[in-house]
Amino acid sequence: MQLMNVRIGSKRVKPVPLPGEVKTLSPQGAIKPTGPWSVAVRAGDFIYIAGMRGIDPETNALVRGDTDRIRQAFLNMKLIAESAGATLRDCVRVIVYTTDMDRLRPVANKVQEELWGEGPYPPRTIVEVRRLHQDDILEVEGTFFAPLRKRTARARAALSTR
């Protein structure tokens, strides 16, 4: 990976990946991929998280109970986002796949409200599918905005006046 040297005044700070680079993420405590895929990548200022299911990372087994399993899927996504410097409030898109829209959509809504708190909520697409891996009930993926370099107060003020 190519790194860009950054200076603030005369002080050199930790190098950061160039904005156009893609870096595979595999944070400690995250689930382990079960095939030829990565749990997430950073591409510039964005984090793209693969579909997360309700798997307990410690046991690699599906969590029991619909609500607990759905919550675990969202928590698996949250852990990966946080490892890359993002919070749930930095989520710019959520996609949910479920095997039973009528039964599980209200549960997913409840869990999302619990984790995000009050809105605004990110845009979300929810799709009913015939089947998921291991006959699971729900999978969630997300895209997060996590700038490599935090904007200064002056830069934020300049952007807000445009």
Side-chain angles (χ1 to χ4, degrees):
M1 168 181 18
Q2 240 182 342
L3 297 176
M4 174 174 60
N5 290 318
V6 178
R7 291 189 174 276
I8 297 176
S10 62
K11 184 178 178 183
R12 184 168 184 244
V13 295
K14 182 179 173 185
V16 296
L18 290 173
E21 298 234 347
V22 176
K23 178 185 175 194
T24 301
L25 303 176
S26 184
Q28 187 170 356
I31 65 167
K32 303 294 183 244
T34 57
W37 55 278
S38 301
V39 295
V41 296
R42 173 184 275 283
D45 288 340
F46 290 90
I47 309 302
Y48 299 91
I49 300 177
M52 293 288 114
R53 296 183 302 119
I55 296 172
D56 180 340
E58 290 184 20
T59 65
N60 206 36
L62 290 169
V63 172
R64 292 182 164 273
D66 292 353
T67 301
D68 290 339
R69 186 179 297 178
I70 290 169
R71 182 180 298 109
Q72 187 63 53
F74 277 96
L75 291 174
N76 288 340
M77 182 177 68
K78 179 179 183 259
L79 179 138
I80 296 165
E82 288 176 346
S83 78
T87 69
L88 290 177
R89 290 285 174 200
D90 298 313
C91 186
V92 296
R93 179 156 188 200
V94 175
I95 302 172
V96 177
Y97 304 94
T98 183
T99 56
D100 187 337
M101 184 75 75
D102 291 336
R103 183 171 63 87
L104 299 172
R105 182 178 173 273
V107 180
N109 288 347
K110 177 183 161 204
V111 168
Q112 192 172 351
E113 288 172 348
E114 167 192 314
L115 293 175
W116 263 262
E118 281 194 30
Y121 302 106
R124 182 181 85 180
T125 300
I126 187 165
V127 180
E128 184 173 287
V129 296
R130 187 174 65 81
R131 189 166 180 222
L132 292 168
H133 184 60
Q134 296 178 309
D135 290 322
D136 206 350
I137 59 172
L138 183 133
E139 189 167 317
V140 60
E141 65 181 71
T143 303
F144 292 77
F145 181 66
L148 288 167
R149 288 178 276 155
K150 299 293 183 194
R151 290 192 170 107
T152 64
R154 175 183 274 172
R156 282 192 304 273
L159 287 173
S160 68
T161 60
R162 291 183 183 178

